Amino acid sequence: MAAKDDVYAKVTPRRQRQSRPSTVKHGSALDVLLSMGFPKTRALKALVSTGGKNVQAACDWLFSHVDDPFLDDPLPREYVLYLRPSGPLLQQLSLFWQQSRLSCGKNKAHNIFPHITLCQFFMCADGKVDALSEALQTTVAKWKGRIPMPLPLEPYTSSSFIGLFVEEQVAEVLKSFAADFATEAAAKADVHVEPHKKQLHVTLAYHFQASHLPILDKLAKNVDVTLGCDWLSVLFSRDIRFANHETLQVMYPYLPQNDDELELVTGDFIFTSQVEHGSASEGWVYGSSLSTGLSGLLPENYVNRADESDTWVVHGSHSVLNCASPSNSVSTVGGLLFDGQINDSLLDSLVDPPSLAGLCPPLQVSRPTSQSSLSNMRLFVCRHGERMDVVFGKHWVTQCFDSKGRYVRSNLNMPSSLPARAGGHRDYDKDCPITVFGSTQARLVGEALMESHTAIDFVYCSPSLRCVQTAQHIVQGLQQEGKTKLRVEPGLFEWTKWVSGTCLPSWIPPAELVAANLSVDTTYRPHIPVSKLVVSESYDTYISRSFQVTREILAECKSLGNTVLIVAHASSLEACTRQMQGLSPQNSKDFVQVVRKIPYLGFCACEEMGETGVWQLTDPPIMPLTHGPNHSFNWREMLTQD
């Protein structure tokens, strides 16, 4: 976290004016907080940070920020005025947001919802925020019926930008509206607002890869700019301390193991900067919590990137078309678009927003399944389940097999029996099985697929026993055992550079796997046989091998079934899908960083876009699977100490 002096250095000085009385109008909410004993500065900060007329939300904020080192910091929030579309046009723009994200990944436009910028960011003291909101309400009332509707929007595309520009004459009207707001804000709240002087527009995409331009341009042309639409003038605020930080959302809870770590609560937002990224340990980042204000190190694979606007607060939302203004709802605007999913409830609320209070994490709803997706080919790639040697250490084989090679388990998480191996039990050193919990993980995934009405037509797996066993239990969870046999494909084995020693593992042959009650297809002929694998292959060779075998598998299954499941290694989720999307391979260093973050049963989905031959990552049909560490417990050591 930057020192306070550094934070203040980032604040642009504003024009000095004659001091005026503070115009606080939080009324009873502020009075209640003061009567509860909260200092006025803290009470105001809580009300403003939650958008506020709700005492409960402000109290919750204050209690959660009790240890926030910046709780008494007088630094004001930053504000901005946007025009936001609603109704049919918003639905079209939201669909574009969703499709462009699915087709080409996230670009800079996705950080903020569809909008027209009416002014630059400006600051307002906490005690004058109500007066600022009143200035907006006064301006909107003055301009009712004077802004031409629908706004004439003209599509524009360049090599690095796609947007909709407001026709020049009407843009001047909007600029006059913004200028009047600036005048009212100065008079009522003593703040300086700088109206937007550039061409007014709705940004659809920018900072995207050049290869994505044709797809984005085609999607943009499908947006009907003539559709009826009410526009809402909305006043937003953000915490200025984190204006240039990356916004992350917590996906999994985490309890600190050391004093310098940050507790994570699912749904919370974390702010982190590139400088803080660089100062953290590998696999960890340094960030600050939105809900508590506390800072510390956190595991990088517990968070996902969020949109910049997900943490913004609404301080006023008014229709510029209808006489009845929507309620000054209090909510974050995250949730309109989250991970490419449209939040239908929030779309409706933009037309007639409900009265909300407090910071609400984005709502997640299932992505509607289009008719076409039912017939498109889909590829699922899944990592194997929890492996024995990671849980019990690399010497587990020595501990679990006696001098005669008989297996005896010593922990409930160890399988009750293991397949016999022609080369003896030492072959397990390089080809370990999954744990009992690994089997449970896999069955849970299979059951979730069945509950989502997802049928798997073909299952391919790496020859590693852990992958074969995982695939078997997924099929069992799907209740497709006997119907769907596993195709063991050596070409799906992980990067051979990661194999210790001078030779590859001695995998159990398909016939012996069948003898061990694993449902393996013994008639299957691999695309890349074991004889073609080499020890310590180069990174380029591994990536090419993975791409080749994936293409050949999909070509083999085409017209015979729509859905293919590959069960292999953490590296497979990246190696088997990236080039299928037309993307170039990452360098080996970045590749390793991605692989490190993929958990057991990590699952991704890729779908062919019609008959184009282009594949894109899509939302999996199942939820992620998370479990915490469960260390070995010995009652004798723990409970009989003096």
Side-chain angles (χ1 to χ4, degrees):
M1 173 63 65
K4 288 189 178 183
D5 291 342
D6 294 332
V7 174
Y8 284 114
K10 299 177 183 177
V11 180
T12 305
R14 300 302 187 191
R15 214 168 23 168
Q16 297 297 317
R17 293 182 177 79
Q18 184 178 355
S19 177
R20 303 183 187 183
S22 175
T23 51
V24 177
K25 296 184 181 179
H26 286 290
S28 60
L30 178 61
D31 292 338
V32 171
L33 291 173
L34 295 178
S35 69
M36 294 172 68
F38 292 111
K40 186 175 182 179
T41 53
R42 291 191 179 187
L44 283 172
K45 185 183 285 288
L47 287 167
V48 170
S49 297
T50 55
K53 297 170 183 175
N54 184 291
V55 174
Q56 184 61 54
C59 283
D60 291 344
W61 188 94
L62 284 164
F63 290 134
S64 66
H65 283 75
V66 66
D67 295 319
D68 184 348
F70 286 88
L71 182 59
D72 296 312
D73 197 312
L75 190 65
R77 293 174 68 87
E78 275 197 324
Y79 294 78
V80 70
L81 181 64
Y82 285 157
L83 270 188
R84 297 198 58 183
S86 66
L89 179 59
L90 175 59
Q91 293 178 26
Q92 290 238 345
L93 292 172
S94 298
L95 183 60
F96 171 84
W97 246 247
Q98 178 195 34
Q99 292 176 331
S100 62
R101 204 164 190 166
L102 289 174
S103 300
C104 304
K106 185 175 179 180
N107 63 66
K108 279 286 188 179
H110 288 118
N111 275 330
I112 306 177
F113 41 78
H115 69 280
I116 296 174
T117 303
L118 293 182
C119 70
Q120 306 299 319
F121 275 94
F122 61 93
M123 289 185 296
C124 178
D126 292 346
K128 298 181 179 180
V129 173
D130 278 319
L132 182 65
S133 298
E134 183 181 321
L136 175 59
Q137 191 169 358
T138 301
T139 306
V140 171
K142 176 182 175 181
W143 279 83
K144 284 291 183 184
R146 295 171 57 187
I147 299 176
M149 291 292 166
L151 288 183
L153 300 172
E154 302 172 353
Y156 174 81
T157 299
S158 70
S159 60
S160 59
F161 175 89
I162 299 175
L164 304 172
F165 280 82
V166 182
E167 188 271 327
E168 188 173 350
Q169 189 173 359
V170 177
E172 291 304 315
V173 176
L174 293 178
K175 288 179 180 179
S176 297
F177 170 83
D180 274 5
F181 168 67
T183 301
E184 290 288 342
K188 287 184 166 61
D190 192 24
V191 298
H192 175 65
V193 178
E194 189 70 38
H196 197 63
K197 292 184 170 58
K198 297 180 180 179
Q199 289 179 289
L200 301 186
H201 61 275
V202 178
T203 300
L204 297 183
Y206 75 107
H207 280 200
F208 49 81
Q209 295 182 26
S211 60
H212 292 160
L213 178 60
I215 298 175
L216 293 172
D217 185 44
K218 182 178 179 180
L219 292 173
K221 289 176 179 176
N222 290 332
V223 177
D224 186 353
V225 298
T226 64
L227 289 174
C229 170
D230 187 8
W231 289 81
L232 308 176
S233 56
V234 190
L235 186 64
F236 295 99
S237 77
R238 67 182 183 185
D239 191 324
I240 190 175
R241 291 176 296 156
F242 308 118
N244 297 316
H245 286 51
E246 183 179 12
T247 305
L248 307 171
Q249 187 172 32
V250 178
M251 307 306 294
Y252 314 112
Y254 176 77
L255 290 175
Q257 307 295 312
N258 297 289
D259 292 341
D260 60 350
E261 294 174 8
L262 181 66
E263 181 176 358
L264 300 182
V265 176
T266 304
D268 189 15
F269 290 93
I270 304 295
F271 302 104
T272 184
S273 71
Q274 294 300 320
V275 173
E276 291 164 345
H277 269 290
S279 64
S281 304
E282 186 175 348
W284 293 72
V285 295
Y286 188 87
S288 303
S289 164
L290 172 69
S291 64
T292 66
L294 299 177
S295 303
L297 290 170
L298 56 130
E300 195 172 12
N301 58 343
Y302 278 56
V303 293
N304 275 347
R305 286 188 179 181
D307 296 338
E308 178 184 338
S309 58
D310 282 346
T311 59
W312 292 1
V313 175
V314 178
H315 297 274
S317 177
H318 305 275
S319 165
V320 298
L321 177 61
N322 301 323
C323 293
S325 292
S327 163
N328 291 344
S329 60
V330 182
S331 68
T332 56
V333 297
L336 172 63
L337 288 170
F338 180 69
D339 280 348
Q341 300 174 336
I342 298 180
N343 184 333
D344 295 321
S345 300
L346 194 59
L347 292 181
D348 295 338
S349 74
L350 291 174
V351 181
D352 186 15
S355 178
L356 301 173
L359 290 171
C360 304
L363 302 175
Q364 299 182 49
V365 296
S366 298
R367 181 172 65 92
T369 302
S370 64
Q371 291 293 325
S372 62
S373 69
L374 297 177
S375 59
N376 292 348
M377 279 203 76
R378 290 188 297 174
L379 169 66
F380 299 146
V381 185
C382 181
R383 187 190 177 191
H384 58 75
E386 182 180 80
R387 51 190 288 176
M388 283 276 284
D389 55 353
V390 171
V391 176
F392 298 107
K394 63 181 180 179
H395 299 300
W396 74 271
V397 175
T398 303
Q399 297 165 358
C400 291
F401 285 88
D402 63 19
S403 59
K404 296 182 179 180
R406 291 176 298 195
Y407 169 73
V408 180
R409 70 173 178 170
S410 58
N411 189 285
L412 289 176
N413 196 25
M414 292 179 174
S416 57
S417 63
L418 290 177
R421 307 192 73 138
H425 65 273
R426 297 308 310 188
D427 283 350
Y428 278 115
D429 282 328
K430 286 190 176 182
D431 187 31
C432 71
I434 57 176
T435 62
V436 172
F437 189 76
S439 303
T440 304
Q441 291 172 316
R443 278 197 302 275
L444 285 173
V445 167
E447 290 168 1
L449 288 169
M450 185 179 69
E451 289 170 5
S452 68
H453 306 291
T454 302
I456 303 296
D457 298 305
F458 298 98
V459 178
Y460 291 78
C461 59
S462 160
S464 294
L465 180 59
R466 57 188 180 273
C467 300
V468 179
Q469 290 178 321
T470 300
Q472 172 85 4
H473 287 290
I474 290 176
V475 170
Q476 287 176 350
L478 270 164
Q479 295 186 11
Q480 291 184 208
E481 194 173 16
K483 175 185 174 184
T484 305
K485 291 194 173 184
L486 315 180
R487 296 179 171 182
V488 179
E489 174 54 62
L492 293 172
F493 184 59
E494 64 186 347
W495 188 5
T496 62
K497 179 182 176 181
W498 290 335
V499 176
S500 61
T502 58
C503 61
L504 296 173
S506 296
W507 294 299
I508 302 176
E512 294 180 24
L513 290 171
V514 171
N517 296 317
L518 292 163
S519 184
V520 171
D521 183 355
T522 56
T523 66
Y524 174 69
R525 294 296 173 262
H527 293 277
I528 300 179
V530 175
S531 60
K532 296 293 185 182
L533 298 180
V534 296
V535 180
S536 298
E537 66 188 336
S538 69
Y539 172 66
D540 290 341
T541 300
Y542 167 63
I543 292 298
S544 297
R545 164 166 64 85
S546 300
F547 182 35
Q548 175 193 339
V549 75
T550 305
R551 280 188 307 176
E552 292 180 3
I553 285 173
L554 293 171
E556 179 177 53
C557 298
K558 196 173 184 67
S559 77
L560 298 175
N562 288 336
T563 308
V564 177
L565 169 64
I566 288 176
V567 180
H569 307 270
S571 57
S572 306
L573 276 72
E574 170 79 3
C576 292
T577 63
R578 186 173 179 84
Q579 286 177 277
M580 292 300 300
Q581 302 171 70
L583 302 175
S584 300
Q586 300 195 75
N587 62 55
S588 59
K589 183 178 179 181
D590 290 340
F591 171 78
V592 170
Q593 291 303 312
V594 170
V595 172
R596 306 177 51 250
K597 301 175 186 177
I598 296 173
Y600 294 126
L601 271 299
F603 192 102
C604 72
C606 207
E607 184 174 331
E608 186 179 22
M609 300 290 105
E611 296 298 324
T612 61
V614 176
W615 289 73
Q616 296 293 340
L617 287 176
T618 60
D619 294 320
I622 62 174
M623 296 180 289
L625 171 66
T626 308
H627 74 280
N630 191 52
H631 302 294
S632 179
F633 172 70
N634 187 314
W635 68 269
R636 193 181 302 278
E637 293 179 2
M638 297 290 187
L639 305 180
T640 59
Q641 295 178 348
D642 294 331

